[in-house]
Amino acid sequence: MIEDIRKILGSATLAPSGENAQPWKFVVKGNTIFQFNVPHRDQSLYSWGQRASYISNGAALENIVIASKELGYNPNIELFPDSDNEHFIAKISLVKDKVNKDPLYEYIPERSTNRKPYEIKLLDKNEEKELLSSINDENTVLHFTQDIKKKKLLGRVGSTNERVMLSNKHLHNFFFSHVNWSKEEDDKKKIGFFIDTLELPPPALLGFKVIKNWVIMNLFSKIGFHKVIGLQNAKINSASSGFGVITVNNNSPKNFVNAGRSMQRLWLTATKLKLSMQPLTGIIFFMYRVMANDTEKFSKKQVHLIKKAYSDIQKSFNLDINNTVAFMFRIGYGGKPSARSTRFSIDEVTEFQ
Ligand SMILES: Cc1cc2nc3c(=O)[nH]c(=O)nc-3n(C[C@H](O)[C@H](O)[C@H](O)COP(=O)(O)O)c2cc1C
């Protein structure tokens, strides 16, 4: 049993997470896995109320479910079993049973973020249909578009993140303190962005090393450099095959865990179809902060940009106030990413009791 649980948790740790924060911890007692959110791993302005971490934990939970079935267990899941502990994500009891294996299992190790420019090519009808039917949770909805005008707009929405981040001292410093400049540094820290996964062409990489210094970046942004980078990224984003959002009906932690489970199924399905994906979520998480009137770290101009970008997402997908956007992504044909990010080992995130 313990060897099976180690395999299952090995799959869990391959889940994606914002800044590769891996905000999860597992406690194993007999046939039961207790999954917890680890809030201190994700203290950025990006994760208002731990919502990004709930999505990441949802993705890890979905991997647990898929891997359990692969090993012949029926996972019985209780979400948020202790109403006094908002970080106790799930209690998962494993029972040997006759279960149908999930064909997405083999794509768990292959899935990764791909930040390359994608080919200018639309998805065909079958690919689109398979993606749209990848989500089987009644409380989360996938909205998808390949419309050229909407992609232009959404490309800009995605790059508003860089525009805001590069002109905001807190976000800038947070981001650059999470860049790992070599494989050795990434293997040591295990959290953050390994520089090669950012897919910067050599001239941009040089510029990136210069603007990691806030004093220099601040001078550059006075002459609009953050807008130029934003425009370049908008172009790359817009040239993808399609854009999608996952919505839920309110911003409860449970909904965000379920959105994370759905995101993971979608991403594994995309991997199966040999499609590349990049989440573009900065603006969404900034908007939760704006909605909660928690804007002291943003300038008025930045708040305006964030509101405009969120409203462009709503317009593009015909959303109203009953649709809370939990996740946005671009998708297309990007080939293989140049590098992968590191993970904590199973023992570093698990307590066996
Ligand atoms: C909730 C969430 C938000 C994310 N937001 C972004 C984003 O805005 N931009 C981006 O390039 N990657 C984003 N990512 C991707 C993570 O950076 C990535 O999953 C992590 O670095 C691990 O790499 P991997 O996906 O290749 O395993 C996000 C992932 C999650 C789960």
Side-chain angles (χ1 to χ4, degrees), residues 112-114 118 266-267 270 275-279 327 329-331:
S112 81
T113 302
N114 191 337
Y118 301 167
L266 166 76
W267 206 336
L275 294 170
S276 299
M277 252 178 73
Q278 180 187 4
F327 188 74
F329 62 94
R330 66 181 180 109
I331 192 164

Side-chain angles (χ1 to χ4, degrees), residues 231-259:
L231 280 173
Q232 277 171 354
N233 286 351
K235 250 189 179 168
I236 291 177
N237 292 341
S238 301
S240 310
S241 308
F243 279 78
V245 288
I246 290 176
T247 62
V248 286
N249 52 20
N250 66 48
N251 71 4
S252 71
K254 207 176 215 172
N255 273 345
F256 272 68
V257 170
N258 283 326

Side-chain angles (χ1 to χ4, degrees), residues 13-22 46 51-57 59 111-115 158 161-162 192-194 197-198 263 267 277-283 285 326-328 337 339-343:
T13 60
L14 295 176
S17 56
E19 300 110 38
N20 201 25
Q22 305 165 68
Y46 282 103
R51 292 307 184 273
S53 290
Y54 286 137
I55 294 188
S56 309
N57 269 287
R111 182 218 56 81
S112 81
T113 302
N114 191 337
R115 300 186 179 92
N161 170 54
E162 286 82 71
F193 301 103
F194 172 33
T197 67
L198 298 180
M263 171 204 74
W267 206 336
M277 252 178 73
Q278 180 187 4
L280 297 167
T281 62
I283 280 307
F285 294 118
F327 188 74
M328 180 167 109
R340 310 289 300 260
S341 34
T342 315
R343 290 296 193 275

Side-chain angles (χ1 to χ4, degrees), residues 115-278:
R115 300 186 179 92
K116 281 183 173 172
Y118 301 167
E119 271 179 58
I120 302 182
K121 184 176 158 191
L122 295 183
L123 307 188
D124 70 33
K125 281 275 156 255
N126 289 336
E127 288 168 328
E128 191 176 342
K129 205 169 142 203
E130 193 159 346
L131 288 175
L132 285 169
S133 56
S134 62
I135 292 183
N136 54 16
D137 173 55
E138 56 188 26
N139 294 317
T140 55
V141 183
L142 170 63
H143 311 254
F144 186 68
T145 184
Q146 300 200 72
D147 177 88
I148 192 146
K149 274 198 193 137
K150 289 183 178 170
K151 287 195 293 187
K152 200 162 175 206
L153 187 63
L154 291 164
R156 237 181 296 141
V157 165
S159 72
T160 306
N161 170 54
E162 286 82 71
R163 227 181 124 172
V164 172
M165 183 270 282
L166 291 173
S167 61
N168 181 302
K169 187 178 176 183
H170 305 282
L171 288 168
H172 168 280
N173 288 347
F174 175 84
F175 175 77
F176 280 98
S177 68
H178 281 76
V179 173
N180 299 332
W181 298 89
S182 65
K183 180 82 181 104
E184 291 69 40
E185 188 181 357
D186 199 54
D187 283 344
K188 198 166 153 214
K189 289 193 180 156
K190 297 179 180 156
I191 283 179
F193 301 103
F194 172 33
I195 185 76
D196 288 5
T197 67
L198 298 180
E199 307 284 0
L200 299 167
L205 180 59
L206 213 63
F208 205 66
K209 286 184 180 155
V210 176
I211 63 168
K212 76 176 180 190
N213 179 318
W214 170 247
V215 178
I216 295 177
M217 183 62 234
N218 196 25
L219 277 177
F220 280 4
S221 56
K222 300 236 182 311
I223 52 165
F225 191 58
H226 58 307
K227 291 186 199 164
V228 176
I229 296 183
L231 280 173
Q232 277 171 354
N233 286 351
K235 250 189 179 168
I236 291 177
N237 292 341
S238 301
S240 310
S241 308
F243 279 78
V245 288
I246 290 176
T247 62
V248 286
N249 52 20
N250 66 48
N251 71 4
S252 71
K254 207 176 215 172
N255 273 345
F256 272 68
V257 170
N258 283 326
R261 293 187 65 180
S262 297
M263 171 204 74
Q264 185 66 359
R265 295 201 70 76
L266 166 76
W267 206 336
L268 293 173
T269 306
T271 308
K272 177 181 163 206
L273 295 169
K274 304 214 177 317
L275 294 170
S276 299
M277 252 178 73
Q278 180 187 4

Side-chain angles (χ1 to χ4, degrees), residues 17-26 36-54 57 85-89 174 177-178 189-192 344 348-350:
S17 56
E19 300 110 38
N20 201 25
Q22 305 165 68
W24 42 66
K25 182 187 154 191
F26 308 99
F36 295 91
N37 179 42
V38 181
H40 75 82
R41 291 244 181 86
D42 192 7
Q43 292 297 341
S44 80
L45 282 180
Y46 282 103
S47 190
W48 177 79
Q50 294 293 309
R51 292 307 184 273
S53 290
Y54 286 137
N57 269 287
N85 186 353
E86 65 195 11
H87 298 300
F88 188 175
I89 302 286
F174 175 84
S177 68
H178 281 76
K189 289 193 180 156
K190 297 179 180 156
I191 283 179
F344 287 116
E348 282 170 308
V349 292
T350 311

